């Protein structure tokens, strides 16, 4: 059996009045579009009311705060690298020493041998700390320059040397010029 939608066909020729109504609506729409285009052109001729066709935007950002681009030297500086994972070294060192002590006790070693093993384990921890500190100093020297930062002010002998000029204490009382204030001004 055939599908009713396939067999039923309604064909209706558009009436002349429908075509005339459609044509009138299109003409009315075209007239409105022409009016809108004329308004847009008039607005563009006014200073700063609409952006120009070439993409410039005069006057549109006058009410907003100006966002300035950062200086060139700031843009030239590399962004900081990602920070590495923070490792709790002290906790790991303590756990290592405790594990060495427990393993030495479980192994049934004498007290003196356990003490010796603990000293060796502590020396390993100290050597690891020293190596980490030395590596940190090398990294700082590479980042901040060839030398490590100075901890104090260098000795400058000019601060401790006597001045070659005469001081007020070296002059006789008679040789000193007296300083006087100007006379009071009448008001």
């Amino acid at each position: 059996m055939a599908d009713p939608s396939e067999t039923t066909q309604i064909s209706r020729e558009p009436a002349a009045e429908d075509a005339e109504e459609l044509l009138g609506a299109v003409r009315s729409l075209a007239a409105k579009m022409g009016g809108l285009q004329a308004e847009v052109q008039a607005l563009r001729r006014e200073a700063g009311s609409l952006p120009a066709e070439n993409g410039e935007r005069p006057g549109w950002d006058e009410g907003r705060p100006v966002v300035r681009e950062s200086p060139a030297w700031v843009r030239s500086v590399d962004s900081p690298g990602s920070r590495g994972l923070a490792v709790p070294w002290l906790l790991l060192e303590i756990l290592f020493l405790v594990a060495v002590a427990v393993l030495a006790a479980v192994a049934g070693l004498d007290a003196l041998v356990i003490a010796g093993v603990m000293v060796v384990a502590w020396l390993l921890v100290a050597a690891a700390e020293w190596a980490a500190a030395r590596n940190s100093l090398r990294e700082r020297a590479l980042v901040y320059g060839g030398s490590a930062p100075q901890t104090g002010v260098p000795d400058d002998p000019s601060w401790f040397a006597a001045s070659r000029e005469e001081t007020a204490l070296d002059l006789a009382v008679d040789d000193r010029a007296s300083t006087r204030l100007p006379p009071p001004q009448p008001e």
Side-chain angles (χ1 to χ4, degrees):
M1 192 141 133
D3 186 16
S5 64
E6 292 177 4
T7 57
T8 308
Q9 293 182 358
I10 300 174
S11 64
R12 183 175 94 163
E13 292 293 319
E17 57 193 42
D18 290 340
E20 199 62 39
E21 184 180 328
L22 181 62
L23 187 59
V26 168
R27 286 184 181 148
S28 170
L29 183 60
K32 287 180 183 178
M33 287 296 295
L36 288 175
Q37 285 177 344
E39 285 182 37
V40 167
Q41 293 301 327
L43 287 174
R44 280 199 176 126
R45 278 186 228 117
E46 292 179 16
S49 61
L50 285 179
E53 291 178 4
N54 61 359
E56 293 180 15
R57 299 170 33 152
W60 279 70
D61 294 329
E62 289 174 358
R64 298 183 190 148
V66 176
V67 178
R68 300 202 187 275
E69 197 171 292
S70 60
W73 70 269
V74 172
R75 291 189 308 268
S76 69
V77 174
D78 291 336
S79 61
S82 62
R83 190 171 175 193
L85 181 65
V87 179
W89 289 111
L90 179 63
L91 179 64
L92 291 177
E93 292 165 359
I94 291 171
L95 289 176
F96 172 73
L97 291 174
V98 168
V100 167
V102 168
L103 289 175
V106 169
L109 301 177
D110 292 335
L112 288 176
V113 176
I114 291 176
V117 168
M118 290 306 298
V119 167
V120 170
W122 182 82
L123 287 174
L124 284 173
V125 168
E129 284 288 330
W130 176 76
R134 189 168 178 192
N135 187 27
S136 176
L137 283 175
R138 278 189 191 152
E139 286 179 8
R140 275 193 220 137
L142 288 174
V143 170
Y144 296 114
S147 64
Q150 295 180 346
T151 57
V153 178
D155 291 336
D156 185 5
S158 65
W159 283 96
F160 303 111
S163 174
R164 299 190 194 281
E165 299 175 7
E166 291 182 339
T167 62
L169 297 175
D170 295 337
L171 296 175
V173 175
D174 297 334
D175 293 341
R176 293 184 189 162
S178 60
T179 304
R180 296 178 190 228
L181 294 174
Q185 301 285 332
E187 292 182 26

